[in-house]
Amino acid sequence: MTENVATPKMVKIDTAGIYYRDLNAKLRQLVDEGVEHIELTNVCGQRYIATDLSRPVDIKIYGTPGNDLGAFMNGSRIEVFGNAQDCMANTLNAGEVIIHGHAGDICGMAARGGKIFVRDYVGYRAGIHMKEYQDKKPMMVVGGTGQDFMGEYMAGGVLVVLGLGLKEGETHKANFIGTGIHGGVIYISGAFEPHQLGKEVGVAELDDKDRKILGDLVNEYCAHFDCDAEAILRKPFKKLYPKYLRPYGRLYSY
């Protein structure tokens, strides 16, 4: 394993040919030793990067990390200059994940805090079962669109779908958007048909509070990816929300 140390607090690792277990063991060791900034190059499918770190650090990744990037992460910041695979930010508790590309399936699954920014599109079931409690509220911004079951079983948090790249009049491709949603909110720009939504989903215009939340997240997205926030916010958005806040409680009512 080759390391080029620029400062005592910053380490660069060329990950070419390094097995994912060995890489993650080295990352844990570096973090325990006090390294604050880590740069990984030639990443190609190594799984679980930034999982089980003892404290928050800043990690820059060049390449394509494997599944479960940042799983269970608690405060670190990951920036990927490339694409991410499945299960990115699985059960994220705190911190930030920024993807300069697209992400695979079930990204943000069960996230309970932190922020996720994906420049392009996502795969199936993005944001599934995101949840919030008191001041813990996960937020995910997707620049493009996603596949079926976006926001499935959401119990809290904010999912923003900007629809960038859709042509005028082109609809989102996803079906079953928000299926089973019982908390949180989805802000979506771009056309969709009623049959593409889960039966639990209500549709509304944004109010001032919604526009403030959306505006802040779009500004952050554009700061990461160097785009025009004002132009994005001029696009029409809809608010998707749960019609029933306790859908499963109704099953046990007497």
Side-chain angles (χ1 to χ4, degrees):
M1 185 176 297
T2 301
E3 300 170 12
N4 300 311
V5 180
T7 72
K9 297 296 184 180
M10 194 276 185
V11 169
K12 295 182 180 181
I13 302 175
D14 182 348
T15 71
I18 300 177
Y19 188 53
Y20 79 93
R21 289 184 178 174
D22 298 331
L23 175 59
N24 287 313
K26 185 62 178 178
L27 292 177
R28 289 192 289 271
Q29 175 189 336
L30 291 171
V31 172
D32 289 345
E33 290 173 351
V35 170
E36 296 178 352
H37 304 279
I38 301 172
E39 184 175 301
L40 305 178
T41 59
N42 295 312
V43 175
C44 187
Q46 288 97 334
R47 305 191 291 273
Y48 309 118
I49 293 174
T51 296
D52 193 29
L53 300 180
S54 60
R55 59 182 177 78
V57 294
D58 180 81
I59 301 176
K60 286 184 168 56
I61 297 174
Y62 295 85
T64 303
N67 292 356
D68 279 298
L69 169 70
F72 315 111
M73 197 170 74
N74 191 29
S76 291
R77 183 182 189 273
I78 298 176
E79 191 164 10
V80 178
F81 297 90
N83 302 319
Q85 295 186 346
D86 298 342
C87 261
M88 175 266 292
N90 176 2
T91 321
L92 175 67
N93 188 58
E96 190 172 39
V97 181
I98 303 157
I99 309 295
H100 292 260
H102 61 260
D105 299 339
I106 53 178
C107 53
M109 178 176 71
R112 56 197 183 195
K115 293 181 179 179
I116 303 164
F117 296 92
V118 180
R119 188 190 66 192
D120 300 329
Y121 59 85
V122 293
Y124 293 86
R125 289 187 158 90
I128 180 173
H129 213 296
M130 291 202 312
K131 50 192 177 287
E132 63 185 77
Y133 180 68
Q134 295 182 351
D135 62 340
K136 302 285 288 184
K137 178 179 289 189
M139 299 186 181
M140 182 190 304
V141 182
V142 175
T145 185
Q147 298 292 340
D148 295 350
F149 295 99
M150 283 193 300
E152 183 182 30
Y153 300 128
M154 274 182 66
V158 178
L159 173 59
V160 178
V161 184
L162 299 178
L164 303 178
L166 291 177
K167 298 176 183 177
E168 186 174 353
E170 182 183 3
T171 61
H172 287 275
K173 298 298 187 290
N175 290 307
F176 311 107
I177 299 169
T179 293
I181 187 173
H182 51 285
V185 65
I186 302 171
Y187 300 122
I188 186 168
S189 181
F192 56 86
E193 300 293 338
H195 72 262
Q196 293 179 262
L197 305 179
K199 64 181 181 179
E200 302 85 357
V201 178
V203 182
E205 300 296 330
L206 278 61
D207 59 22
D208 290 342
K209 180 180 178 181
D210 296 319
R211 293 194 178 280
K212 175 65 167 62
I213 295 170
L214 176 64
D216 288 347
L217 289 171
V218 168
N219 276 298
E220 286 188 62
Y221 172 92
C222 289
H224 292 311
F225 304 122
D226 192 25
C227 51
D228 187 343
E230 291 185 3
I232 293 174
L233 291 170
R234 284 196 295 268
K235 294 159 54 76
F237 281 83
K238 294 291 186 182
K239 173 182 178 178
L240 309 183
Y241 65 93
K243 292 179 181 177
Y244 313 109
L245 294 181
R246 295 184 64 251
Y248 303 111
R250 296 162 63 226
L251 298 176
Y252 305 101
S253 299
Y254 294 97

